[in-house]
Structure formats: structure tokens, C-alpha cells
Amino acid sequence: MRSPLVVGNWKMHGDLAGNLQLLQQVIAGVPAAGAVDMVVCAPFPYLEQVRNLLAATPVGWGAQTLSEHAQGAYTGEVSAGMLREFGCRYVIVGHSERRALFSESDEQVAAKFLAACNAGLVPILCVGETLAQRESGETVRVVEKQLQVVLDRAGVERFSSAVVAYEPVWAIGTGRTATPEQAQEVHVAIRSCLARLDQQVASGLQILYGGSVKAQNAGEIFAQADIDGGLIGGASLVADDFLAICQAANR
Ligand code: PGA
């Protein structure tokens, strides 16, 4: 049985005072009973604040990206080892904004995924198609290709301590969500892709849906058999909304 997981992706939002208020409200509202795991992924400068505030709570935390390199002359980059030494557990890898705005290739995403695994971090690997790709019927092919490059580089066993997030690019921050059935179809494709290599890893893999998940639509999305939780952008910045989404995943 896969436990549900809800990850908040703050993106480049926040400030010390606002983060404090948000996290205090989240901590106060953590569902008392149940199995949902909660994680927040903050910008680098706020990781220390987040680490300190969440230390004695059940809420986990992580970063939003990392370098594929271990160390060296890579000005501005942060390595997996640095994150791990700092106490970080999770890291988002290959978010579509990184792929589109910072030209991260499938190969680079795979290298980052492997770097995270090698350092003992849990990578949250994002995959997803653009609107044009969906409209031309390429969704499953695109997602499988993104996944395959990581599988080739890192091996299926690495997915036993990783998370995958299906995030259709056209649904991120747009207010447009995939229907629960559309999302479920892609989640099944992702799980099948892994199952061809390792049935056990595939059935234990947490696959999150991301893209305009709100308190109002979370329940029907999380009700799908292969949707194990969510990667939440905008709604993770509002404590009540984030908590309501976590509650919806708490089954
Ligand atoms: P959204 O973002 O919930 O604001 O659509 C999701 C994400 O980018 O992870």
C-alpha cells in the first residue's frame, strides 16, 4: 500500500515573515490521524528557516533543484552533497519550469536525478507534456521518453527511493487541470513503464499529480487508483488551501 504524499512547491515565492506565518499555520493544522506525508520545497535561502521550523514536526522539506555535479567551478550551483549535509531529504528534479526556462535537457535531468540518489536524497522527478504534444496525441510517448532517459542512466532500482510527479505543462499555474481520468491514464502509463523492468518497484512508487490542484478538485484527483498525492504550486502558499489538499489525500 502506497502512503499518500503531498508536496508544496513554493517556487520563487516567500520571505522570512511570510514563511514563518505560513509554516506556523501549516504545523498547527497537520492532520492529526492518518497517513499523509507532507513536504514543502522552498527556495535555497529559506531552507535553514524551513529546516528549523519543521525540525520537530512530521512535515518534511526539500529543495527545488540541484546541480548534477558533485563540486567544482559551477558558480551559483548547489550540489546534492551540500543539500544532504544540510539535512535536506527531498529535491524536485526536472520541473517543467527548469526544463523550459533553464533549458534542462532530459539527459541533464537524469544526471541530477542520479546525483540526488547517490547523495541519499529523495528526488521528486517531474515529467509532463506540453499542450501541443497532448493535442497531437503524443502525451504518453513524451512522458515515457522523459522517464526512459532517467531509467537508462540511473536504473530502475533507484526508483524504490524516488517519487515521480506527472505535471502536464498546460495545467501548471493555469487554472486548467487534467481531468482525473486523463491524469490516471498517464499515471498508469508511468507505472507500466517501470513495471516492465521491476514489478515491485513499480507498485511501490508514489506517483503525484501536479498542475492547478486546489482544495476543490483535490478529492476527485486523489481518488484515482494510481494517483498517490500531489505536487502543489500556488495552493501551497495558502495554509488553509494546502492543508485542505493534504486532508483530501489522507486516505
Ligand atoms: P500549480 O503548480 O499548482 O500552481 O499549478 C504546480 C507545480 O508547478 O508544481
Side-chain angles (χ1 to χ4, degrees), residues 2 6-7 26 33 37 53 56 64 77 81 116 135 144-145 151 154 199 210 212 216 220 222 225 247 251:
R2 298 177 298 270
V6 176
V7 179
V26 167
D37 288 325
L53 284 169
Q64 299 173 9
E77 293 289 274
E135 284 175 346
E144 283 184 349
K145 157 91 190 322
L151 283 164
Q199 183 64 51
S212 298
Q216 303 85 289
E220 55 173 6
F222 298 158
Q247 195 60 67
R251 49 185 151 83

Side-chain angles (χ1 to χ4, degrees), residues 9-13 41 64-65 92-105 108-109 112 126-130 146 167-174 210-212 231-234 237:
N9 172 13
W10 289 1
K11 310 195 180 188
M12 201 173 73
H13 293 290
C41 292
Q64 299 173 9
T65 186
I92 298 172
V93 174
H95 190 281
S96 66
E97 286 153 15
R98 301 291 319 170
R99 294 177 189 261
L101 304 174
F102 302 94
S103 309
E104 288 187 10
S105 64
Q108 199 179 359
V109 169
K112 288 176 183 233
C126 300
V127 295
E129 81 289 2
T130 63
Q146 291 171 335
E167 295 208 309
V169 177
W170 49 272
I172 295 175
T174 58
S212 298
L231 180 55
I232 318 299
L237 299 170

Side-chain angles (χ1 to χ4, degrees), residues 175-178 180 209 211-222 245 248:
R176 250 184 101 172
T177 26
Y209 170 79
S212 298
V213 177
K214 306 284 176 231
Q216 303 85 289
N217 59 23
E220 55 173 6
I221 294 171
F222 298 158
I245 292 167

